Amino acid sequence: MRSWRWFLSRVMRLFLRWFRLCPQRGRRKRPSRLRDLWNYGTVLLKSLYYNVLTNSDTALDCVFEPIYWLVDNMTRWFGVVFVSLVIALTSSVVIIVYLCVLPIIFSTYPVLWILWHLCYGHWNLLMLVYHYYKATTTCPGFSPQEKSDIPTVTICKKCIVPKPARTHHCSICNRCILKMDHHCPWLNNCVGQFNHRYFFSFCLFMTMACIYCSISAKDMFLDAYSAIESGRYLDAHSQGEVVPGAGLIYISFSQQSSYQTPPPAFTRQERMVHKSLVYLWVLTSSVAVALGGLTLWHAILITRGETSVERHINHKERRRLRLKGKVFRNPYHHGKINNWKIFFGVEKQSDWLTRVLLPSSHLPHGDGLTWDGPAHKSNTMAI
């Protein structure tokens, strides 16, 4: 513990050093003295944070760090809400299908179409539920925290541990994720080496289920929508109100009863069925469009042998090498078909049935620590 005399001498020494830098003789040397004082203060300031890798991106990261912290914590806490929302919406669609859609199918469709809907619908539901459960509960894979002989390409600036190839730090999970793609709030989990297949399969089967429901319930939706509109038409007609879009003003029901036939009245249960069918079609159609675009995007990345993070990194690297007259080649690209085989873990033809079209918990290709494609660096560089 230093005494107050040491602090006093330190302050006096700094004061004398500043006094020597101040102008003493005339006004002609003042600019240079002020410049020296400014340069000295700049050096002192930069010595607190500056290193050879400091750039504008690092400065922006420091400025926006509080915003990143807020978003990360909100995503971490709201992950449970998003998962509950997925379960609630999916359950509501399943309940409407069983209570409203299937009875109509049983009463109006031929036997072959009934068997088709029963088989395909339950298979799609099984695959959807299974892959969503596996995607949310499977660990994506973490980088080892202790020293090992595993080849590494860099050092994580957050964890301060070596990172294997294709490993990135997730600020929400606060861990380095093997072959990280992104953090999905709808799963409340990171998408990495060991659950990437489950995530994509869930997106694929959810999109297929929404398209299936949207197409199958299209005629039911049109009939239900017409029934709802006719119900509004009848209510406005009996009350003498203006019906938007009808182009007519109804003064009273008795004046128009001589030439206007009122639409049939529906029971409360029938109106509930109509509204449920409209809700089913609007929800599944919206999700099919939104999630279908996301699924298509991830399919393109899988075809290229990239993840979402690597897509941005490879784009910058491709542009940098293009300026030098060179061509960038993705070291993890093994061909379009081979990329899909590696992603799904297909080793023989029968695996397309047992591992892709049926629920399967087989492990992915590789351990996420070493890769066949890239040449690992022998020394690591901190970034």
Side-chain angles (χ1 to χ4, degrees), residues 179 192-193 195-201 298 302 337-346 362-365:
K179 192 193 171 186
Q193 166 70 8
N195 66 343
H196 194 182
R197 177 176 65 88
Y198 297 130
F199 164 76
F200 178 78
S201 298
H298 279 277
I302 295 171
I337 303 300
N338 290 331
N339 287 338
W340 284 100
K341 290 182 177 180
I342 294 174
F343 179 79
F344 282 118
V346 174
H362 65 277
L363 295 176
H365 178 78

Side-chain angles (χ1 to χ4, degrees), residues 2-19:
R2 296 185 176 93
S3 64
W4 64 271
R5 294 185 180 84
W6 184 90
F7 288 105
L8 180 61
S9 63
R10 187 65 178 174
V11 172
M12 294 299 297
R13 194 177 302 141
L14 292 175
F15 176 77
L16 292 175
R17 184 178 300 175
W18 174 83
F19 184 77

Side-chain angles (χ1 to χ4, degrees), residues 27 35 85 146 162 169 211 214 223 281 291 348 382:
R27 296 177 178 270
R35 189 181 302 110
L85 185 62
E146 65 279 354
H169 185 86
I211 294 175
S214 180
D223 295 339
W281 191 87
L291 190 59
K348 50 187 178 180

Side-chain angles (χ1 to χ4, degrees), residues 237 250 252-262:
H237 184 88
Y250 293 91
S252 66
F253 179 78
S254 60
Q255 296 176 355
Q256 302 294 334
S257 60
S258 58
Y259 58 88
Q260 182 70 36
T261 302

Side-chain angles (χ1 to χ4, degrees), residues 123-132 205 356-359:
W123 169 78
N124 202 332
L125 178 62
L126 172 64
M127 298 296 289
L128 187 156
V129 173
Y130 173 79
H131 286 100
Y132 185 72
F205 288 112
V356 179
L357 299 180
L358 293 176

